[in-house]
Amino acid sequence: MIQPDDFARQAARPRSPPELVMSVVMLRRKRMSMRKIAAQHGLCMEGVRQILLRYSKAQSSAAADAEADAECDDGLMASVRETMPAGHPVSMDAIWTGLERWRRIDETR
């Protein structure tokens, strides 16, 4: 029996346990067709495709999370989290734009 990894556990569903997900992924990595994998496991081809999609989505989300953590750890994001000082030109421009919109709405009534 193939031991499932974390991605297989994330991709698992009630009708497709982690062991089945890992088996499907391993057979696909060996270049077996989805049709043959489906026949071997008693699934439909769409079921195999859905399992592979969920597995790849779990892998890509983990990679994106790791990349986001790496960005936050190097200190580059620290300046983004800070608030703008009072009277900053960008915030003042946004305030005046909003006030002008409200004034136009009031004039049309």
Side-chain angles (χ1 to χ4, degrees):
M1 182 59 84
I2 301 170
Q3 291 298 321
D5 59 5
D6 290 335
F7 305 127
R9 288 185 190 92
Q10 290 175 7
R13 296 288 185 269
R15 297 185 77 190
S16 57
E19 293 80 15
L20 174 67
V21 172
M22 201 66 218
S23 176
V24 167
V25 169
M26 296 305 289
L27 290 174
R28 188 65 179 165
R29 285 180 180 163
K30 292 179 182 177
R31 305 272 189 219
M32 185 180 279
S33 72
M34 283 194 265
R35 196 168 292 195
K36 287 182 181 177
I37 295 170
Q40 184 174 344
H41 288 290
L43 301 168
C44 63
M45 198 171 76
E46 179 64 20
V48 171
R49 190 180 76 80
Q50 290 294 319
I51 288 172
L52 293 170
L53 283 173
R54 287 195 309 265
Y55 187 85
S56 66
K57 186 182 277 189
Q59 279 184 320
S60 64
S61 69
D65 289 346
E67 189 175 303
D69 289 345
E71 283 181 9
C72 289
D73 289 342
D74 62 7
L76 294 175
M77 298 298 290
S79 63
V80 176
R81 287 187 226 114
E82 296 175 7
T83 59
M84 288 186 190
H88 191 278
V90 172
S91 62
M92 294 306 295
D93 185 47
I95 290 171
W96 282 112
T97 303
L99 289 173
E100 288 171 0
R101 283 187 191 153
W102 278 105
R103 189 177 67 188
R104 276 189 249 126
I105 290 172
D106 194 39
E107 290 173 354
T108 59
R109 289 184 185 178

mmCIF file of all heavy atoms in Angstrom, residues 17-55:
data_model
loop_
_atom_site.group_PDB
_atom_site.id
_atom_site.type_symbol
_atom_site.label_atom_id
_atom_site.label_comp_id
_atom_site.label_asym_id
_atom_site.label_seq_id
_atom_site.Cartn_x
_atom_site.Cartn_y
_atom_site.Cartn_z
ATOM 1 N N PRO A 17 -10.478 8.197 -0.631
ATOM 2 C CA PRO A 17 -9.574 8.350 0.516
ATOM 3 C C PRO A 17 -8.149 8.685 0.059
ATOM 4 O O PRO A 17 -7.798 8.528 -1.113
ATOM 5 C CB PRO A 17 -9.634 6.976 1.192
ATOM 6 C CG PRO A 17 -10.121 6.041 0.157
ATOM 7 C CD PRO A 17 -10.962 6.831 -0.780
ATOM 8 N N PRO A 18 -7.303 9.147 0.977
ATOM 9 C CA PRO A 18 -5.944 9.544 0.621
ATOM 10 C C PRO A 18 -5.131 8.439 -0.065
ATOM 11 O O PRO A 18 -4.322 8.721 -0.946
ATOM 12 C CB PRO A 18 -5.305 9.919 1.957
ATOM 13 C CG PRO A 18 -6.433 10.208 2.867
ATOM 14 C CD PRO A 18 -7.585 9.394 2.387
ATOM 15 N N GLU A 19 -5.359 7.186 0.317
ATOM 16 C CA GLU A 19 -4.623 6.081 -0.307
ATOM 17 C C GLU A 19 -4.980 5.963 -1.783
ATOM 18 O O GLU A 19 -4.111 5.721 -2.624
ATOM 19 C CB GLU A 19 -4.924 4.755 0.410
ATOM 20 C CG GLU A 19 -4.406 4.693 1.823
ATOM 21 C CD GLU A 19 -5.311 5.407 2.830
ATOM 22 O OE1 GLU A 19 -6.480 5.710 2.505
ATOM 23 O OE2 GLU A 19 -4.828 5.674 3.946
ATOM 24 N N LEU A 20 -6.262 6.132 -2.110
ATOM 25 C CA LEU A 20 -6.696 6.082 -3.508
ATOM 26 C C LEU A 20 -6.106 7.250 -4.290
ATOM 27 O O LEU A 20 -5.630 7.078 -5.412
ATOM 28 C CB LEU A 20 -8.225 6.109 -3.592
ATOM 29 C CG LEU A 20 -8.816 6.202 -5.000
ATOM 30 C CD1 LEU A 20 -8.518 4.939 -5.781
ATOM 31 C CD2 LEU A 20 -10.301 6.459 -4.938
ATOM 32 N N VAL A 21 -6.117 8.428 -3.683
ATOM 33 C CA VAL A 21 -5.551 9.615 -4.347
ATOM 34 C C VAL A 21 -4.077 9.376 -4.655
ATOM 35 O O VAL A 21 -3.612 9.620 -5.782
ATOM 36 C CB VAL A 21 -5.732 10.871 -3.461
ATOM 37 C CG1 VAL A 21 -4.980 12.048 -4.050
ATOM 38 C CG2 VAL A 21 -7.201 11.197 -3.289
ATOM 39 N N MET A 22 -3.339 8.856 -3.683
ATOM 40 C CA MET A 22 -1.908 8.635 -3.886
ATOM 41 C C MET A 22 -1.659 7.575 -4.945
ATOM 42 O O MET A 22 -0.748 7.706 -5.767
ATOM 43 C CB MET A 22 -1.273 8.224 -2.556
ATOM 44 C CG MET A 22 0.199 8.435 -2.492
ATOM 45 S SD MET A 22 0.560 10.192 -2.559
ATOM 46 C CE MET A 22 2.015 10.144 -3.549
ATOM 47 N N SER A 23 -2.486 6.543 -4.965
ATOM 48 C CA SER A 23 -2.340 5.495 -5.972
ATOM 49 C C SER A 23 -2.590 6.046 -7.375
ATOM 50 O O SER A 23 -1.841 5.745 -8.307
ATOM 51 C CB SER A 23 -3.313 4.359 -5.662
ATOM 52 O OG SER A 23 -3.251 3.386 -6.669
ATOM 53 N N VAL A 24 -3.635 6.858 -7.520
ATOM 54 C CA VAL A 24 -3.946 7.469 -8.822
ATOM 55 C C VAL A 24 -2.797 8.370 -9.273
ATOM 56 O O VAL A 24 -2.365 8.333 -10.429
ATOM 57 C CB VAL A 24 -5.274 8.258 -8.742
ATOM 58 C CG1 VAL A 24 -5.471 9.140 -9.952
ATOM 59 C CG2 VAL A 24 -6.443 7.305 -8.585
ATOM 60 N N VAL A 25 -2.266 9.156 -8.359
ATOM 61 C CA VAL A 25 -1.164 10.066 -8.688
ATOM 62 C C VAL A 25 0.074 9.280 -9.102
ATOM 63 O O VAL A 25 0.735 9.621 -10.107
ATOM 64 C CB VAL A 25 -0.856 11.000 -7.497
ATOM 65 C CG1 VAL A 25 0.435 11.757 -7.706
ATOM 66 C CG2 VAL A 25 -2.011 11.958 -7.284
ATOM 67 N N MET A 26 0.391 8.225 -8.379
ATOM 68 C CA MET A 26 1.579 7.437 -8.712
ATOM 69 C C MET A 26 1.432 6.749 -10.067
ATOM 70 O O MET A 26 2.388 6.704 -10.849
ATOM 71 C CB MET A 26 1.852 6.388 -7.617
ATOM 72 C CG MET A 26 2.194 6.992 -6.264
ATOM 73 S SD MET A 26 3.570 8.148 -6.303
ATOM 74 C CE MET A 26 4.906 7.030 -6.589
ATOM 75 N N LEU A 27 0.249 6.231 -10.366
ATOM 76 C CA LEU A 27 0.043 5.600 -11.668
ATOM 77 C C LEU A 27 0.122 6.633 -12.797
ATOM 78 O O LEU A 27 0.667 6.345 -13.864
ATOM 79 C CB LEU A 27 -1.307 4.878 -11.708
ATOM 80 C CG LEU A 27 -1.400 3.629 -10.835
ATOM 81 C CD1 LEU A 27 -2.828 3.093 -10.837
ATOM 82 C CD2 LEU A 27 -0.428 2.561 -11.324
ATOM 83 N N ARG A 28 -0.391 7.800 -12.551
ATOM 84 C CA ARG A 28 -0.320 8.849 -13.572
ATOM 85 C C ARG A 28 1.119 9.302 -13.787
ATOM 86 O O ARG A 28 1.513 9.607 -14.919
ATOM 87 C CB ARG A 28 -1.212 10.023 -13.165
ATOM 88 C CG ARG A 28 -1.357 11.064 -14.216
ATOM 89 C CD ARG A 28 -2.060 10.523 -15.428
ATOM 90 N NE ARG A 28 -2.192 11.593 -16.411
ATOM 91 C CZ ARG A 28 -2.497 11.424 -17.668
ATOM 92 N NH1 ARG A 28 -2.748 10.218 -18.123
ATOM 93 N NH2 ARG A 28 -2.581 12.439 -18.480
ATOM 94 N N ARG A 29 1.899 9.347 -12.715
ATOM 95 C CA ARG A 29 3.320 9.699 -12.850
ATOM 96 C C ARG A 29 4.081 8.651 -13.660
ATOM 97 O O ARG A 29 5.103 8.950 -14.261
ATOM 98 C CB ARG A 29 3.964 9.859 -11.474
ATOM 99 C CG ARG A 29 3.584 11.138 -10.799
ATOM 100 C CD ARG A 29 4.244 11.266 -9.456
ATOM 101 N NE ARG A 29 3.843 12.517 -8.823
ATOM 102 C CZ ARG A 29 3.975 12.770 -7.541
ATOM 103 N NH1 ARG A 29 4.501 11.859 -6.734
ATOM 104 N NH2 ARG A 29 3.585 13.930 -7.053
ATOM 105 N N LYS A 30 3.577 7.416 -13.650
ATOM 106 C CA LYS A 30 4.184 6.351 -14.459
ATOM 107 C C LYS A 30 3.660 6.375 -15.894
ATOM 108 O O LYS A 30 3.866 5.431 -16.640
ATOM 109 C CB LYS A 30 3.897 4.988 -13.826
ATOM 110 C CG LYS A 30 4.594 4.782 -12.509
ATOM 111 C CD LYS A 30 4.245 3.429 -11.934
ATOM 112 C CE LYS A 30 4.908 3.241 -10.585
ATOM 113 N NZ LYS A 30 4.528 1.954 -9.975
ATOM 114 N N ARG A 31 2.951 7.451 -16.254
ATOM 115 C CA ARG A 31 2.437 7.678 -17.609
ATOM 116 C C ARG A 31 1.296 6.742 -18.003
ATOM 117 O O ARG A 31 1.060 6.503 -19.172
ATOM 118 C CB ARG A 31 3.551 7.565 -18.645
ATOM 119 C CG ARG A 31 4.724 8.451 -18.405
ATOM 120 C CD ARG A 31 4.498 9.754 -19.046
ATOM 121 N NE ARG A 31 5.724 10.560 -18.990
ATOM 122 C CZ ARG A 31 5.722 11.837 -18.775
ATOM 123 N NH1 ARG A 31 4.593 12.460 -18.620
ATOM 124 N NH2 ARG A 31 6.838 12.510 -18.731
ATOM 125 N N MET A 32 0.576 6.216 -17.022
ATOM 126 C CA MET A 32 -0.588 5.396 -17.341
ATOM 127 C C MET A 32 -1.734 6.327 -17.722
ATOM 128 O O MET A 32 -1.880 7.407 -17.144
ATOM 129 C CB MET A 32 -0.988 4.529 -16.151
ATOM 130 C CG MET A 32 -2.117 3.562 -16.453
ATOM 131 S SD MET A 32 -2.594 2.544 -15.052
ATOM 132 C CE MET A 32 -1.359 1.284 -15.126
ATOM 133 N N SER A 33 -2.544 5.939 -18.677
ATOM 134 C CA SER A 33 -3.643 6.786 -19.128
ATOM 135 C C SER A 33 -4.730 6.864 -18.051
ATOM 136 O O SER A 33 -4.874 5.953 -17.222
ATOM 137 C CB SER A 33 -4.244 6.250 -20.425
ATOM 138 O OG SER A 33 -4.968 5.066 -20.168
ATOM 139 N N MET A 34 -5.477 7.946 -18.088
ATOM 140 C CA MET A 34 -6.555 8.118 -17.105
ATOM 141 C C MET A 34 -7.608 7.039 -17.278
ATOM 142 O O MET A 34 -8.212 6.589 -16.304
ATOM 143 C CB MET A 34 -7.173 9.509 -17.243
ATOM 144 C CG MET A 34 -6.328 10.602 -16.646
ATOM 145 S SD MET A 34 -7.216 12.135 -16.465
ATOM 146 C CE MET A 34 -6.735 12.958 -17.959
ATOM 147 N N ARG A 35 -7.821 6.607 -18.497
ATOM 148 C CA ARG A 35 -8.809 5.563 -18.763
ATOM 149 C C ARG A 35 -8.396 4.248 -18.099
ATOM 150 O O ARG A 35 -9.229 3.567 -17.478
ATOM 151 C CB ARG A 35 -8.947 5.385 -20.264
ATOM 152 C CG ARG A 35 -10.173 4.646 -20.677
ATOM 153 C CD ARG A 35 -10.375 4.774 -22.140
ATOM 154 N NE ARG A 35 -10.709 6.180 -22.411
ATOM 155 C CZ ARG A 35 -11.229 6.623 -23.528
ATOM 156 N NH1 ARG A 35 -11.461 5.804 -24.504
ATOM 157 N NH2 ARG A 35 -11.515 7.891 -23.692
ATOM 158 N N LYS A 36 -7.110 3.897 -18.192
ATOM 159 C CA LYS A 36 -6.632 2.660 -17.565
ATOM 160 C C LYS A 36 -6.640 2.768 -16.042
ATOM 161 O O LYS A 36 -6.965 1.807 -15.347
ATOM 162 C CB LYS A 36 -5.226 2.332 -18.062
ATOM 163 C CG LYS A 36 -5.197 1.832 -19.486
ATOM 164 C CD LYS A 36 -3.797 1.472 -19.910
ATOM 165 C CE LYS A 36 -3.777 1.004 -21.351
ATOM 166 N NZ LYS A 36 -2.411 0.713 -21.809
ATOM 167 N N ILE A 37 -6.287 3.945 -15.539
ATOM 168 C CA ILE A 37 -6.321 4.156 -14.082
ATOM 169 C C ILE A 37 -7.752 4.012 -13.582
ATOM 170 O O ILE A 37 -8.015 3.368 -12.565
ATOM 171 C CB ILE A 37 -5.758 5.543 -13.712
ATOM 172 C CG1 ILE A 37 -4.277 5.636 -14.063
ATOM 173 C CG2 ILE A 37 -5.961 5.824 -12.222
ATOM 174 C CD1 ILE A 37 -3.698 7.035 -13.947
ATOM 175 N N ALA A 38 -8.692 4.581 -14.323
ATOM 176 C CA ALA A 38 -10.102 4.503 -13.935
ATOM 177 C C ALA A 38 -10.583 3.055 -13.933
ATOM 178 O O ALA A 38 -11.276 2.620 -13.001
ATOM 179 C CB ALA A 38 -10.942 5.346 -14.888
ATOM 180 N N ALA A 39 -10.212 2.303 -14.954
ATOM 181 C CA ALA A 39 -10.626 0.900 -15.021
ATOM 182 C C ALA A 39 -10.011 0.086 -13.889
ATOM 183 O O ALA A 39 -10.675 -0.788 -13.308
ATOM 184 C CB ALA A 39 -10.223 0.309 -16.368
ATOM 185 N N GLN A 40 -8.776 0.373 -13.541
ATOM 186 C CA GLN A 40 -8.097 -0.365 -12.485
ATOM 187 C C GLN A 40 -8.718 -0.107 -11.119
ATOM 188 O O GLN A 40 -8.796 -1.006 -10.282
ATOM 189 C CB GLN A 40 -6.618 0.013 -12.460
ATOM 190 C CG GLN A 40 -5.807 -0.767 -11.464
ATOM 191 C CD GLN A 40 -4.324 -0.450 -11.581
ATOM 192 O OE1 GLN A 40 -3.866 0.104 -12.564
ATOM 193 N NE2 GLN A 40 -3.574 -0.808 -10.556
ATOM 194 N N HIS A 41 -9.176 1.106 -10.877
ATOM 195 C CA HIS A 41 -9.721 1.463 -9.564
ATOM 196 C C HIS A 41 -11.248 1.471 -9.519
ATOM 197 O O HIS A 41 -11.825 1.807 -8.486
ATOM 198 C CB HIS A 41 -9.191 2.838 -9.139
ATOM 199 C CG HIS A 41 -7.745 2.820 -8.771
ATOM 200 N ND1 HIS A 41 -7.271 2.205 -7.647
ATOM 201 C CD2 HIS A 41 -6.665 3.332 -9.397
ATOM 202 C CE1 HIS A 41 -5.964 2.335 -7.582
ATOM 203 N NE2 HIS A 41 -5.561 3.016 -8.638
ATOM 204 N N GLY A 42 -11.891 1.164 -10.613
ATOM 205 C CA GLY A 42 -13.354 1.149 -10.630
ATOM 206 C C GLY A 42 -13.963 2.535 -10.580
ATOM 207 O O GLY A 42 -15.028 2.733 -9.993
ATOM 208 N N LEU A 43 -13.292 3.488 -11.199
ATOM 209 C CA LEU A 43 -13.773 4.869 -11.254
ATOM 210 C C LEU A 43 -14.113 5.224 -12.689
ATOM 211 O O LEU A 43 -13.789 4.489 -13.618
ATOM 212 C CB LEU A 43 -12.688 5.833 -10.748
ATOM 213 C CG LEU A 43 -12.164 5.641 -9.335
ATOM 214 C CD1 LEU A 43 -10.918 6.477 -9.129
ATOM 215 C CD2 LEU A 43 -13.226 6.022 -8.338
ATOM 216 N N CYS A 44 -14.730 6.376 -12.865
ATOM 217 C CA CYS A 44 -14.894 6.900 -14.219
ATOM 218 C C CYS A 44 -13.688 7.790 -14.525
ATOM 219 O O CYS A 44 -12.954 8.208 -13.621
ATOM 220 C CB CYS A 44 -16.196 7.675 -14.360
ATOM 221 S SG CYS A 44 -16.300 9.132 -13.323
ATOM 222 N N MET A 45 -13.471 8.073 -15.800
ATOM 223 C CA MET A 45 -12.318 8.877 -16.185
ATOM 224 C C MET A 45 -12.400 10.281 -15.594
ATOM 225 O O MET A 45 -11.388 10.866 -15.195
ATOM 226 C CB MET A 45 -12.223 8.957 -17.712
ATOM 227 C CG MET A 45 -10.866 9.386 -18.195
ATOM 228 S SD MET A 45 -10.663 9.233 -19.957
ATOM 229 C CE MET A 45 -11.590 10.617 -20.529
ATOM 230 N N GLU A 46 -13.595 10.835 -15.492
ATOM 231 C CA GLU A 46 -13.772 12.162 -14.902
ATOM 232 C C GLU A 46 -13.406 12.150 -13.423
ATOM 233 O O GLU A 46 -12.850 13.122 -12.898
ATOM 234 C CB GLU A 46 -15.216 12.642 -15.093
ATOM 235 C CG GLU A 46 -15.510 13.995 -14.502
ATOM 236 C CD GLU A 46 -14.719 15.136 -15.149
ATOM 237 O OE1 GLU A 46 -14.226 14.984 -16.271
ATOM 238 O OE2 GLU A 46 -14.607 16.188 -14.502
ATOM 239 N N GLY A 47 -13.700 11.070 -12.736
ATOM 240 C CA GLY A 47 -13.320 10.944 -11.331
ATOM 241 C C GLY A 47 -11.812 10.975 -11.150
ATOM 242 O O GLY A 47 -11.300 11.617 -10.228
ATOM 243 N N VAL A 48 -11.101 10.289 -12.036
ATOM 244 C CA VAL A 48 -9.635 10.309 -11.991
ATOM 245 C C VAL A 48 -9.127 11.716 -12.258
ATOM 246 O O VAL A 48 -8.220 12.212 -11.578
ATOM 247 C CB VAL A 48 -9.046 9.310 -13.018
ATOM 248 C CG1 VAL A 48 -7.545 9.468 -13.131
ATOM 249 C CG2 VAL A 48 -9.408 7.887 -12.634
ATOM 250 N N ARG A 49 -9.732 12.386 -13.240
ATOM 251 C CA ARG A 49 -9.318 13.747 -13.569
ATOM 252 C C ARG A 49 -9.544 14.681 -12.386
ATOM 253 O O ARG A 49 -8.689 15.510 -12.066
ATOM 254 C CB ARG A 49 -10.089 14.257 -14.791
ATOM 255 C CG ARG A 49 -9.560 15.560 -15.342
ATOM 256 C CD ARG A 49 -10.369 16.011 -16.539
ATOM 257 N NE ARG A 49 -11.652 16.576 -16.149
ATOM 258 C CZ ARG A 49 -11.807 17.815 -15.699
ATOM 259 N NH1 ARG A 49 -10.782 18.606 -15.571
ATOM 260 N NH2 ARG A 49 -12.996 18.262 -15.379
ATOM 261 N N GLN A 50 -10.663 14.555 -11.700
ATOM 262 C CA GLN A 50 -10.964 15.395 -10.541
ATOM 263 C C GLN A 50 -9.967 15.146 -9.404
ATOM 264 O O GLN A 50 -9.523 16.088 -8.741
ATOM 265 C CB GLN A 50 -12.391 15.150 -10.045
ATOM 266 C CG GLN A 50 -13.466 15.658 -10.970
ATOM 267 C CD GLN A 50 -13.441 17.161 -11.079
ATOM 268 O OE1 GLN A 50 -13.251 17.851 -10.086
ATOM 269 N NE2 GLN A 50 -13.645 17.663 -12.286
ATOM 270 N N ILE A 51 -9.615 13.886 -9.187
ATOM 271 C CA ILE A 51 -8.632 13.563 -8.150
ATOM 272 C C ILE A 51 -7.298 14.222 -8.476
ATOM 273 O O ILE A 51 -6.667 14.838 -7.616
ATOM 274 C CB ILE A 51 -8.470 12.034 -8.016
ATOM 275 C CG1 ILE A 51 -9.713 11.431 -7.351
ATOM 276 C CG2 ILE A 51 -7.219 11.673 -7.213
ATOM 277 C CD1 ILE A 51 -9.748 9.918 -7.352
ATOM 278 N N LEU A 52 -6.873 14.120 -9.737
ATOM 279 C CA LEU A 52 -5.598 14.725 -10.138
ATOM 280 C C LEU A 52 -5.639 16.242 -10.037
ATOM 281 O O LEU A 52 -4.658 16.877 -9.637
ATOM 282 C CB LEU A 52 -5.241 14.285 -11.557
ATOM 283 C CG LEU A 52 -4.920 12.795 -11.714
ATOM 284 C CD1 LEU A 52 -4.819 12.429 -13.182
ATOM 285 C CD2 LEU A 52 -3.667 12.427 -10.960
ATOM 286 N N LEU A 53 -6.773 16.842 -10.371
ATOM 287 C CA LEU A 53 -6.907 18.295 -10.250
ATOM 288 C C LEU A 53 -6.826 18.742 -8.795
ATOM 289 O O LEU A 53 -6.159 19.725 -8.481
ATOM 290 C CB LEU A 53 -8.224 18.765 -10.858
ATOM 291 C CG LEU A 53 -8.292 18.834 -12.375
ATOM 292 C CD1 LEU A 53 -9.705 19.156 -12.829
ATOM 293 C CD2 LEU A 53 -7.325 19.874 -12.892
ATOM 294 N N ARG A 54 -7.526 18.029 -7.908
ATOM 295 C CA ARG A 54 -7.474 18.390 -6.493
ATOM 296 C C ARG A 54 -6.069 18.230 -5.931
ATOM 297 O O ARG A 54 -5.607 19.051 -5.143
ATOM 298 C CB ARG A 54 -8.463 17.542 -5.689
ATOM 299 C CG ARG A 54 -9.910 17.928 -5.905
ATOM 300 C CD ARG A 54 -10.824 17.335 -4.851
ATOM 301 N NE ARG A 54 -10.674 15.911 -4.654
ATOM 302 C CZ ARG A 54 -11.415 14.974 -5.241
ATOM 303 N NH1 ARG A 54 -12.367 15.320 -6.080
ATOM 304 N NH2 ARG A 54 -11.216 13.698 -4.984
ATOM 305 N N TYR A 55 -5.362 17.182 -6.356
ATOM 306 C CA TYR A 55 -3.994 16.958 -5.890
ATOM 307 C C TYR A 55 -3.076 18.082 -6.373
ATOM 308 O O TYR A 55 -2.299 18.624 -5.597
ATOM 309 C CB TYR A 55 -3.492 15.608 -6.397
ATOM 310 C CG TYR A 55 -2.144 15.219 -5.835
ATOM 311 C CD1 TYR A 55 -2.055 14.582 -4.611
ATOM 312 C CD2 TYR A 55 -0.974 15.475 -6.533
ATOM 313 C CE1 TYR A 55 -0.826 14.224 -4.075
ATOM 314 C CE2 TYR A 55 0.251 15.122 -6.014
ATOM 315 C CZ TYR A 55 0.330 14.485 -4.792
ATOM 316 O OH TYR A 55 1.545 14.144 -4.275
#
